[in-house]
Each structure stands twice: as structure tokens, then as C-alpha cells.
């Protein structure tokens, strides 16, 4: 029987990737401010997402989770947010229309500000400073002042998350996701892509179908004009996550109200660790990253600890193995979870197992490896008779050059042209949309 849970019980467990602040009074002050601020997400939205993720786990819906590896404070600007939302909505239209299932849209947005790091420090030209851990903690510039963890960043991150989600909600409430408005679906194909024609055909077909339905019903279909959208981030910084957790009025349990769907990263998922302790007590649907070293019995214990009541939609396992590892490593995990009789929603992150450095030292991924990992997931699930319930991508609405390949044909020489990410390489919008088409094709054949 585990000990009683409280929003602070994680403090009794070893916590990885946490931050040491040199001014504890300033940290308490920042935490106190976050506790008093209104929530970013509400418990009823969170419960609605949980039921949609349960449906994705049964194959009745499909999860599209995507966004930056690392959201930046400087990117809290209307045109940047607008571009991210637009590409996610386009991908979801492609998946709904082409894949034939309603899509659950979850951004890595409005709070994806904390990054786990493999080394606590970074050394450049003989100078060693604390590693950059995301804007939630410190700043990226390589100076002692910038790298000093600043507790006020927690409040800044909370405020920007609220601003971001507020803008997204307003755009969607105003019909930004409305399939009737073709102008909103217009995208600038800066790089020529074979997908451009395919995209326009899909758009025309989709709009014809909507016109047909409108005409049949005799009025515009209201349901299609406001779409659901949820946010997610890695729940890495436990001071921050616990400060944002509440027991909402009329509810008997705790929710992390900093986001809809927090996830536990690959580096912090140990069974006896502080992250698992914190996450087991909140009611949100949660993601858990599952890498190639996860043992089947360890996974079952993790699922048991995090979801003892076996509530559907509570756990999404975000598998990130690397394209060549899925066929050997995933089947035993599917088998173990099935034998244990546990309900989970399986999702594929084809990004994090496929990162490598080019000869000139640039961190990248190849589009073909990403597609191979998605394909391997579909194949393994088909063979096991289980359901692939979604995908998880690092992507952006901009024309960046961070991932090699795709029908826009990015080469190593192109990487230098427009590489913006400070952490992991993201799909640009043409690559993102192309991937949505490929996933939709696979989904149609399931
Ligand atoms: C991430 O999603 O950016 C990340 C760090 O992933 P993982 O925990 O799977 O390595
Ligand atoms: Co990443």
C-alpha cells in the first residue's frame, strides 16, 4: 500500500532534473504567486480530454500531439502562435478526412518551457556554466547571469502559458478552425512539394463535403466551426507543477491545472522517483515516454502505480524507440500490458529515438527514419491486434530547416539556412503536413 499522496509528497522521493535556486525566499515567493493565480486549464476540460484519449485508445479517435521541443518566451507572439495552431489544425483536417477518425488535438504548447538535460553544466572555451534548462528555469545566453536559475521565470512561464492559451481559445471561438473558411487553410508552400497538389485536392473535397452537409441540414454545421484543442507539456519541474495543482470546487481530487495533459519524460520515469509520486496523485490524463530500455514488467508496475483503478484515458504511453528498435522492443511491451489486463492509449513519438549529429556537429533527424518508426508502430500493433491511438511530433508552423529529407528534399547543406531550434530539430510545415498525409494513409488501412 503506497503512502498517502499530497501535492508535496514527491519531496520524500529522489527527484531528477530539478533545479537548485540560490535564493529560497525568492522561490517561495514565486511559488506563492502561482498558487494564488487562477488556473490555466479547468478540470472539466481535463476530464473531457481524458474521455477523448480513452476513445483514441479504443481506435475510435486518433491523437495528434505536436509542437516545439522547447517553447521560448520570445515566441509568445501572436503570429508565432497563430502559425503553430494553423499547422496543427491542417494536420488534423488531413488526418480526420484521410484517416477517417475524429482527431484529438493536443499541442506541446502553452507551458512547454522546461527541458531535461543530459549534463548539469556546459563548458565552452574552458568556461563552465549551468546548462540551459528551458525558459522556465534560466536563459539560453552563455553568461553567468543568464544561466542562473531565476525563480521569477516560473511566474513568467505561467503568465505566458495563460496568454498563449487565451489567444488560442479566442482564435478557435472566432472560427479559426472552421472548415468553411478556405482562406484560413491557405498555406504558403515556400518549398515546392509533391504534396501541394494532394493538399489542394483534399481541401476541395473536404469543402465540397461540408457544403453538401450544410445544404442537407439546411444550415451551417455549427459543430464544425469550433474545434476542441488541448495543451500539454513535460511535467518536469515539480515545484511548478505542484504549485499549479488544486482541488477544484465540487471535486474531491487534485488536478494539475497548469495544462491539460502533462507527461513524464524518458529521463524522469523511474518507479521510485519523485515524478511518478507526483503524477500518481493528479487526475489529469498523463503521458509517459517509453524508450528502448523500458522492461515489460517495469512498464506494468509503472502503469499500476499511476493508474491503480485502470481508468481508461488516464495513461497515454508515448513510445519513442528509434526506427530500428520498434520491431524488437515494442511487442513484449504490448504483450505485458495486455496480459496485465491494463487499458492504455498507445502513441508513437517517432522523433526522440532518431536524433543524430551530422559530421559538422548539427543535431538533426531524417524524415525517412521518422516515417519508418511510424510504419513500424502500425505494423507491430497490427500484428499484436492492439491499437495505435496517436502520434507525437516535434514540429513548427514555420519554414525551418532542421530535419533532413521529406519531399521538400532538405539536405545537410540546407540545415544551415534556417535552423532555429535550441534543443531538438523540428519538422517544418511542409514536412509536418506530408507526415500527416502519410499517417492518414496508414490509418485508412487499419
Ligand atoms: C521531449 O519530448 O522533448 C523529450 C525530452 O523527450 P524524451 O523524454 O522522450 O527524451
Ligand atoms: Co525534444
Amino acid at each position: 500500500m503506497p503512502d498517502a499522496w499530497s501535492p508535496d509528497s514527491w519531496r520524500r522521493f529522489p527527484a531528477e532534473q530539478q533545479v537548485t535556486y540560490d535564493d529560497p525566499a525568492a522561490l517561495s515567493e514565486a511559488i506563492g504567486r502561482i498558487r494564488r493565480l487562477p488556473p490555466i486549464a479547468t478540470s472539466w476540460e481535463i476530464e473531457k480530454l481524458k474521455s477523448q484519449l480513452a476513445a483514441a485508445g479504443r481506435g475510435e479517435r486518433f491523437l495528434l500531439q505536436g509542437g516545439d521541443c522547447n517553447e521560448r518566451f520570445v515566441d509568445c507572439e501572436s503570429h508565432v502562435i497563430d502559425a503553430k495552431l494553423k499547422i496543427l489544425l491542417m494536420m488534423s483536417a488531413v488526418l480526420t478526412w484521410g484517416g477517417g477518425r475524429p482527431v484529438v488535438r493536443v499541442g506541446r504548447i502553452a507551458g512547454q518551457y522546461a527541458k531535461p538535460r543530459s549534463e548539469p553544466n556546459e563548458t565552452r572555451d574552458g568556461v563552465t556554466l549551468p546548462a540551459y534548462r528551458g525558459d522556465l528555469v534560466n536563459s539560453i545566453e552563455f553568461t553567468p547571469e543568464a544561466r542562473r536559475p531565476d525563480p521569477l521565470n516560473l511566474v513568467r512561464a505561467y503568465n505566458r502559458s495563460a496568454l498563449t492559451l487565451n489567444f488560442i481559445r479566442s482564435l478557435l471561438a472566432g472560427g479559426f478552425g472552421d472548415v468553411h473558411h478556405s482562406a484560413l487553410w491557405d498555406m504558403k508552400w515556400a518549398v515546392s512539394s509533391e504534396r501541394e497538389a494532394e493538399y489542394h485536392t483534399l481541401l476541395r473535397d473536404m469543402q465540397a463535403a461540408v457544403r453538401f452537409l450544410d445544404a442537407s441540414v439546411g444550415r451551417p454545421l455549427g459543430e464544425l466551426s469550433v474545434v476542441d484543442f488541448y495543451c500539454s507539456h513535460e511535467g518536469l519541474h515539480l515545484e511548478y507543477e505542484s504549485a499549479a495543482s488544486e482541488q477544484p470546487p465540487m471535486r474531491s481530487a487534485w488536478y494539475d491545472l497548469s495544462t491539460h495533459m502533462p507527461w513524464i519524460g524518458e529521463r524522469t520515469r523511474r518507479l521510485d522517483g519523485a515524478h511518478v509520486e507526483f503524477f500518481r496523485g493528479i487526475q489529469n490524463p498523463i503521458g509517459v515516454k517509453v524508450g528502448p530500455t523500458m522492461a515489460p514488467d517495469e512498464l506494468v508496475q509503472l502503469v499500476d502505480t499511476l493508474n491503480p483503478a485502470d481508468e481508461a484515458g488516464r495513461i497515454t504511453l508515448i513510445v519513442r524507440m528509434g526506427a530500428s528498435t520498434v520491431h524488437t522492443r515494442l511487442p513484449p511491451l504490448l504483450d505485458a500490458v495486455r496480459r496485465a489486463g491494463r487499458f492504455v492509449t498507445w502513441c508513437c513519438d517517432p522523433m526522440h529515438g532518431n536524433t543524430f549529429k551530422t559530421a559538422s556537429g548539427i543535431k538533426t533527424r531524417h524524415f525517412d527514419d521518422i516515417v519508418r518508426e511510424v510504419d513500424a508502430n502500425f505494423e507491430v500493433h497490427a500484428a499484436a491486434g492492439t491499437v495505435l491511438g496517436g502520434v507525437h511530433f516535434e514540429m513548427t508552423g514555420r519554414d525551418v530547416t532542421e530535419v533532413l529529407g521529406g519531399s521538400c528534399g532538405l539536405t545537410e547543406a540546407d540545415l544551415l539556412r534556417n535552423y532555429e531550434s535550441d534543443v531538438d530539430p523540428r519538422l517544418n510545415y511542409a514536412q509536418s503536413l506530408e507526415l500527416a498525409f502519410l499517417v492518414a494513409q496508414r490509418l485508412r488501412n487499419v
Side-chain angles (χ1 to χ4, degrees), residues 239-251:
E239 294 281 4
Y240 180 81
E241 302 300 327
S242 60
S245 295
E246 278 180 39
Q247 209 171 352
M250 321 292 285
R251 299 247 191 217

Side-chain angles (χ1 to χ4, degrees), residues 68-70 108 112 114-116 234 263-268 289-291 318 320 349 352-353 365 392 394 423-424:
D68 294 313
C69 180
N70 176 39
R108 288 175 61 116
Q112 176 50 22
K115 295 310 299 173
E234 178 170 351
W263 77 82
I264 307 180
E266 168 71 0
R267 292 177 180 78
T268 49
K289 291 289 196 97
V290 175
I318 308 168
R320 31 86 83 221
D349 164 359
H352 287 88
R365 295 163 172 152
H392 181 118
E394 285 188 341
V423 189
D424 288 337

Side-chain angles (χ1 to χ4, degrees), residues 12-59:
R12 298 197 304 266
F13 296 79
E16 300 192 55
Q17 299 280 339
Q18 299 305 286
V19 181
T20 311
Y21 291 94
D22 60 19
D23 185 350
L27 176 63
S28 306
E29 158 72 17
I31 293 297
R33 281 171 68 180
I34 292 172
R35 280 195 206 288
R36 290 189 300 276
L37 286 168
I40 292 170
T42 60
S43 59
W44 60 88
E45 293 166 341
I46 290 171
E47 289 297 335
K48 190 170 173 199
L49 172 60
K50 207 194 289 177
S51 69
Q52 294 190 3
L53 290 168
R58 292 189 297 266

Side-chain angles (χ1 to χ4, degrees), residues 72 106 115 134 192 194-195 221 242 286 327 357 376:
R72 299 288 313 275
V106 180
K115 295 310 299 173
S192 79
E194 293 163 20
R195 299 289 159 187
L221 293 171
S242 60
I286 60 180
H327 279 285
K357 276 192 177 166

